[in-house]
């Protein structure tokens, strides 16, 4: 019998008969490993313990202590066990696909009656029964004809279609969990009993079109989460509860910040309170840009197709653009325009006006640019994912020799902004060339090398994000982590040698000849809409005082105090504090409760005693104790708190 060589993680190698399985390899090492083993990695591929190894390879045996591999198996097996449970409870239900997703799994079912919350409880109970049976999990490879015949005989039309989609030459692998069978690439556990019975939960049911196509049948998708331990599950459910409390859509209603409606999908209706946040943040960013040598511009919303074709966006980005046809007066054909999805080509057009000297570089050009991009309706999410948004966008036109210094300056500016907004640290990702891109490989080599060297010189480490660069250049992505551990990609910096070439931008160098500038695309917040959503969720609505939409409410306890309430309110407004009076004929406890729900940081209660002493009773959001202060001291203190951090 032919032999193969398997190399272990410690570098040692051993010979085994060709066709040996990881289960047999583990048993040959020790009986305890054979009992604990759940899967293997064979030459970089996650491998089922039953699959034969037929060629020389590296191998690592995994146990439940190996987090990534254990979670993949737990979640994949849970999807199969859930499908088995559904078909045991409702034998007529047809099954489709059930992949692993972040934190869990789902499976799509074709069932006439909708699943109910009570059904989810019954499915969970049946899943635990199946797990406790400790049924063996086995696998075979079938030929295409046998697989199709099997699924036709069992009346599983979706599986017949899936078999037909498997490319020639790829194995058609069948798995059995006990007597229940499914088509699957694997790998899986060796028994159903290896799935932790107390570490999963079914979460919700949603509709999903078969293969994601609206012309195909609507299926029912059951989502679940699964972890290695009961405590991990508990921690995740607690995290979800906290995330729900922080949901910017709910807080947006409670704080009266904004709303969305069907007549303008993906567009934000900003209410006065929300617009207070928006303008305070925009004013802050404008000051930061001025300090860092940017000039501010503004460019058109509707731009002729010809510019988008010249820039490459028409070819690479058209599916995300809103096209506008204009019937120009006396024109024989309609003019094709598009709402701008980004600002960069328009900034190049400003740069091209008049001759630019090398002495004017680097030229930092900023715009709070209103953009529109088509997002599928199912992808829209409050103000986090919209169709109409404003970027804190800027483009730095410079020479190649400037890239390192401009990168350093930008990261310093970005760091200061994030600190002021409550984020002390961030992570950096490097995104290199995507499959669909403009420019030659030589240009991309130069751009990627320049950006990597600049990031290294700035003293920042980064992780690679392969293939996620813009179509015109590589980029750095700056990732914030919020108060409950979620990551948000916000800022970006991109090096672009392509667009200046395509749009024929040039400057006059020392030699008197025209040269192409390098274009650095950069944003710190990303979009104002999304970043405000992140701020709302990070602070659970309790924004820093300088950003709070309503900073102070002055509330009367008795009507005789109304005149003093208005005097206090006027004094605070004069000091630059966003203050409002509440003299409604309501009890003070009602007013305090209402404004606390609205996340007003400071509530001042004024009754007859405060009027006589010219004091105020101060209640801070989240505190039960009140403090009595004289008016002048209060105004001085709140004036300082209301001052943005860059002006202190």
């Amino acid at each position: 019998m032919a032999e193969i060589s398997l190399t272990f993680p410690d570098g040692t190698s051993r010979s085994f008969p060709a066709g040996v399985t990881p289960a047999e390899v583990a048993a040959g090492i020790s009986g305890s490993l054979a009992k604990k083993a759940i899967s293997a990695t064979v030459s970089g591929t996650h491998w089922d313990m039953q699959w034969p190894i037929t060629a020389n390879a590296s191998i690592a045996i995994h146990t439940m202590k190996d987090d990534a591999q254990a979670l993949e198996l737990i979640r994949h097996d849970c999807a199969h066990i859930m499908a088995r449970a559904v078909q045991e409870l409702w034998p007529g239900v047809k099954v489709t696909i059930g992949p692993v997703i972040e934190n869990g799994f789902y499976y799509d079912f074709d069932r006439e009656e909708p699943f109910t919350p009570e059904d989810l409880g019954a499915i969970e109970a049946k899943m635990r029964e199946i797990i406790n049976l400790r049924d063996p999990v086995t696998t075979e490879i079938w030929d295409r004809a046998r697989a199709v015949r099997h699924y036709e005989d069992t009346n599983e039309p979706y599986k017949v279609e899936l078999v037909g989609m498997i490319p020639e030459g790829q194995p058609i692998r069948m798995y059995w969990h006990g007597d229940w069978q499914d088509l699957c690439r694997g790998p899986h556990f060796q028994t159903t009993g290896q799935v932790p019975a107390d570490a999963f939960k079914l979460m919700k049911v949603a509709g999903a079109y078969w293969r994601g196509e609206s012309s195909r049948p609507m299926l029912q998708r059951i989502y679940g989460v699964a972890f290695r331990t009961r405590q991990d599950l508990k921690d995740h459910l607690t995290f979800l509860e906290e995330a729900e409390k922080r949901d910017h859509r709910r807080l947006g209603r409670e704080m009266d910040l904004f709303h969305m409606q069907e007549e303008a999908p993906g567009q934000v209706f900003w209410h006065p309170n929300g617009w207070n946040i928006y303008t305070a943040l925009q004013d802050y960013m404008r000051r930061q840009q001025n300090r860092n040598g940017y000039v501010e511009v503004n460019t058109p919303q509707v731009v002729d197709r010809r510019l988008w074709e010249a820039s490459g966006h028409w070819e690479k980005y058209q599916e995300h653009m809103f096209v506008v046809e204009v019937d120009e007066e006396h024109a024989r054909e309609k003019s094709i325009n598009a709402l701008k999805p980004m600002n960069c080509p328009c900034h190049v057009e400003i740069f091209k006006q008049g001759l630019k000297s090398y002495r004017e570089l680097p030229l930092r050009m900023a715009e709070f640019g209103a953009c529109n991009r088509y997002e599928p309706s199912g992808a829209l999410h409050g103000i986090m994912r919209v169709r109409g948004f404003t970027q804190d966008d800027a483009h730095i036109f410079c020479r190649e020799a400037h890239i390192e210094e401009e990168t350093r300056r930008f990261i310093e500016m970005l760091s200061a902004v994030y600190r002021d907004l409550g984020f002390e640290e961030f992570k950096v990702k490097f995104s290199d060339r995507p499959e669909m891109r403009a420019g030659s490989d030589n240009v991309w080599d130069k751009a990627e090398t320049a950006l990597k060297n600049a990031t290294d010189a700035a003293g920042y480490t980064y992780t690679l994000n392969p293939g996620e660069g813009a179509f015109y250049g590589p980029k750095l992505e700056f990732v914030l982590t919020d108060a409950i551990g979620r990551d948000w990609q916000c800022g970006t910096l991109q090096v672009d040698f392509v667009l200046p070439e395509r749009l024929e931008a040039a400057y006059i160098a020392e030699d008197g000849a025209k040269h192409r500038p390098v274009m650095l695309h950069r944003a710190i917040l990303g979009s104002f809409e999304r970043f405000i959503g992140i701020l709302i969720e990070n602070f659970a609505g309790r924004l820093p005082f300088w950003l709070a939409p309503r900073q102070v409410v002055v509330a009367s306890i008795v009507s005789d105090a109304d005149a003093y309430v208005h005097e206090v309110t006027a004094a605070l407004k004069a000091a630059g504090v966003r203050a409002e009076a509440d003299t409604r004929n309501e009890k003070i406890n009602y007013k305090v409760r209402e404004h606390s729900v609205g996340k007003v940081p400071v509530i001042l209660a004024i009754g007859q005693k405060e009027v006589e002493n010219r004091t105020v009773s101060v209640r801070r959001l989240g505190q039960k104790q009140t403090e009595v202060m004289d008016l002048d001291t209060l105004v001085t203190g709140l004036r300082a708190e209301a001052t943005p951090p860059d002006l202190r």
Side-chain angles (χ1 to χ4, degrees), residues 67 71 199 226-238:
D67 193 67
L71 285 173
F227 298 89
R228 289 192 303 164
T229 68
R230 181 180 182 180
Q231 185 60 47
D232 288 345
L233 173 64
K234 183 179 178 181
D235 291 345
H236 179 72
L237 296 179
T238 300

Side-chain angles (χ1 to χ4, degrees), residues 229-275:
T229 68
R230 181 180 182 180
Q231 185 60 47
D232 288 345
L233 173 64
K234 183 179 178 181
D235 291 345
H236 179 72
L237 296 179
T238 300
F239 166 82
L240 293 180
E241 290 175 5
E242 184 61 32
E244 175 63 24
K245 294 176 186 175
R246 294 168 178 264
D247 190 309
H248 74 280
R249 294 165 298 181
R250 181 176 67 82
L251 290 169
R253 290 190 299 271
E254 293 177 355
M255 298 171 69
D256 193 21
L257 303 179
F258 60 84
H259 82 273
M260 325 283 284
Q261 63 188 60
E262 292 180 0
E263 289 80 1
Q267 310 281 336
V268 185
F269 290 78
W270 288 104
H271 299 188
N273 290 340
W275 198 243

